[in-house]
Amino acid sequence: MPQIAIRLAKSDDLDTLRGVMDAAIGELQRGFLTPEQVQSSRAVMGLDRQLIEDGTYFVAEIADAIVGCGGWSRRATLYGGDHSAGLREPRLLDPACEAARIRAMYTLPAFARMGVGRALLAHCEAAAKAEGFARCELMGTLSGVPLYAMAGYEVLEEIEDARGGTPVPLKRMGKRL
C-alpha cells in the first residue's frame, strides 16, 4: 500500500477536488447504478465549500498528488453539494445528543480499494470524536456502502433521491464512535 498523507483542504484545491469528485461519481458508481442514475446523482453529490470554510474537509495525498477527499461536519446538512437544492441546513449540531456528519467522500478511481477512503474516514471520525461527538451519520451511495459497512456503520434508513430526475437509492448509515 502506498503512503497516504491527510491534510486540510484549502480553497486552492477546489479545481482538483471537483476533478476527483467528477471522476469518482462517473466511474465508481458503475455497476451499482444505471447510467441515468449516475447522471441524476450529480444533482445531490459534489463539493460543499462550507466544509472547507469550517476546516472539516480533508484531502488524501500520495506522493503529493490528491487522490481522494472527504470530511465531516458539525452542521445538520447530511449530504449534497453547494448546488443541491433543498439539502442545505447550516444549523450547528449538539454533540451531546446529535451525530456528526461524515460528508463528501470521494476517491480517484485509479486509487480505489487502496485504503484512501478508510484513511479519510478514520481521520474524520477521530476529528468528530475530539470535538465531543459520540456518533456519526452519513448518507451512503451504493458504491460507498461496502466501505462504510466494513468500518462499522449500520443502515438506519433507505431512501431514493429524485432531485436529478431519476431516483437514486441512498442509505443513511450510523455508527457509535
Side-chain angles (χ1 to χ4, degrees):
M1 291 275 177
Q3 179 71 26
I4 301 166
I6 308 285
R7 67 165 173 82
L8 272 175
K10 306 175 292 204
S11 57
D12 292 352
D13 298 321
L14 290 176
D15 288 339
T16 302
L17 296 177
R18 285 186 188 100
V20 169
M21 292 173 184
D22 185 58
I25 291 167
E27 293 182 42
L28 297 180
Q29 294 190 102
R30 284 189 210 154
F32 293 93
L33 301 177
T34 67
E36 296 79 18
Q37 288 173 315
V38 171
Q39 186 57 36
S40 183
S41 73
R42 293 179 184 279
V44 295
M45 296 175 69
L47 184 65
D48 182 349
R49 287 176 295 171
Q50 183 69 61
L51 299 171
I52 295 172
E53 292 168 19
D54 286 347
T56 60
Y57 203 65
F58 305 95
V59 298
E61 294 178 317
I62 295 175
D64 295 326
I66 295 175
V67 299
C69 50
W72 73 280
S73 184
R74 58 182 75 90
R75 296 183 184 275
T77 300
L78 183 58
Y79 70 106
D82 292 340
H83 62 283
S84 301
L87 293 176
R88 319 308 302 153
E89 192 178 344
R91 173 184 66 81
L92 292 173
L93 298 166
D94 180 353
C97 59
E98 294 179 291
R101 309 304 196 218
I102 298 295
R103 300 283 317 282
M105 301 283 291
Y106 298 96
T107 301
L108 273 178
F111 293 89
R113 287 168 269 306
M114 297 176 101
V116 173
R118 267 179 296 188
L120 283 162
L121 185 58
H123 190 85
C124 292
E125 289 172 347
K129 188 173 184 174
E131 285 207 21
F133 286 93
R135 295 182 310 115
C136 284
E137 287 188 8
L138 58 86
M139 188 62 80
T141 61
L142 296 186
S143 61
V145 166
L147 166 68
Y148 304 130
M150 284 190 334
Y153 284 80
E154 296 180 352
V155 175
L156 305 173
E157 175 185 21
E158 296 185 27
I159 69 163
E160 286 189 336
D161 192 315
R163 285 180 182 87
T166 301
V168 177
L170 299 167
K171 297 185 182 199
R172 185 171 65 91
M173 302 178 79
K175 174 184 176 179
R176 291 199 69 68
L177 297 177

